[in-house]
Amino acid sequence: SQLSMTSSDEREARKSSRSWAGTPEPGPSAVRVSPTAQATAPGTSDAPDQFTATHTLLVDASTASGANLNLSQSALLADTGPVPVRVEARLADEGLPEPSNVTAEADLELRSLAVTATSSSKEAAARAADLTAEEINAELARVDREVYEDQLATLGEQIADAEERQAALTSQLATVA
């Protein structure tokens, strides 16, 4: 089974680079990170307290699961259920802070999902957006796999029933002949 959503990293990597407040960072990425605007008092640092990163997932409509994917429901996975729990655990394993906010917005016309994370560092925001996108993909694949396995089990039962009926008919025909 092919994943129904793919990261835009491969398509965007050739066109863009990650940028931090207008300064290009080495290495291509489709994740966009920008500082969150903060008011500062005179004489204080104007360094931002929060960074926001967005990772865009594109639906692969050429697959059956992609063609039937409900993007609005998929967007809910960013902050509901097992996805945020797994993301927070992975960030903790990497020594990065928990994001202050994670959202996902579905664009039904473009068939895309924009995952946005806000955190105290640019690295944490980018990683939170990336991990959330990965975990949404993994959760969708897990659900697809469960549906597939359920269908296989049902078909296996139907085949076993058909074989039993065939054996019974074969036995009946043997007694008639």
Side-chain angles (χ1 to χ4, degrees):
S1 174
Q2 192 174 18
L3 291 179
S4 57
M5 299 186 81
T6 56
S7 171
S8 64
D9 282 351
E10 295 152 6
R11 291 183 192 101
E12 292 292 321
R14 293 181 205 105
K15 298 190 281 185
S16 65
S17 65
R18 187 177 300 170
S19 62
W20 319 103
T23 306
E25 183 86 353
S29 176
V31 177
R32 310 264 190 241
V33 180
S34 59
T36 304
Q38 299 281 329
T40 58
T44 61
S45 172
D46 61 353
D49 293 335
Q50 296 286 302
F51 289 84
T52 299
T54 299
H55 186 118
T56 301
L57 294 169
L58 303 174
V59 175
D60 183 359
S62 67
T63 65
S65 58
N68 296 320
L69 183 66
N70 183 324
L71 278 173
S72 297
Q73 287 181 346
S74 299
L76 293 174
L77 294 172
D79 61 4
T80 306
V83 168
V85 173
R86 291 193 302 248
V87 168
E88 288 174 15
R90 289 178 69 185
L91 287 169
D93 288 346
E94 295 178 19
L96 292 172
E98 184 177 313
S100 58
N101 190 36
V102 177
T103 61
E105 186 176 332
D107 185 327
L108 302 179
E109 187 176 327
L110 295 177
R111 302 283 297 152
S112 66
L113 193 65
V115 178
T116 302
T118 303
S119 193
S120 57
S121 74
K122 58 189 172 189
E123 293 84 6
R127 193 69 180 131
D130 287 344
L131 289 175
T132 301
E134 280 180 29
E135 291 295 340
I136 288 172
N137 240 348
E139 185 65 16
L140 291 171
R142 184 192 63 77
V143 170
D144 280 350
R145 190 173 42 257
E146 284 179 3
V147 168
Y148 175 74
E149 288 171 359
D150 288 346
Q151 289 172 339
L152 280 179
T154 300
L155 290 172
E157 291 169 8
Q158 291 173 349
I159 289 169
D161 290 344
E163 288 172 344
E164 285 178 27
R165 287 193 306 269
Q166 181 185 12
L169 288 173
T170 301
S171 176
Q172 287 176 352
L173 285 174
T175 60
V176 173

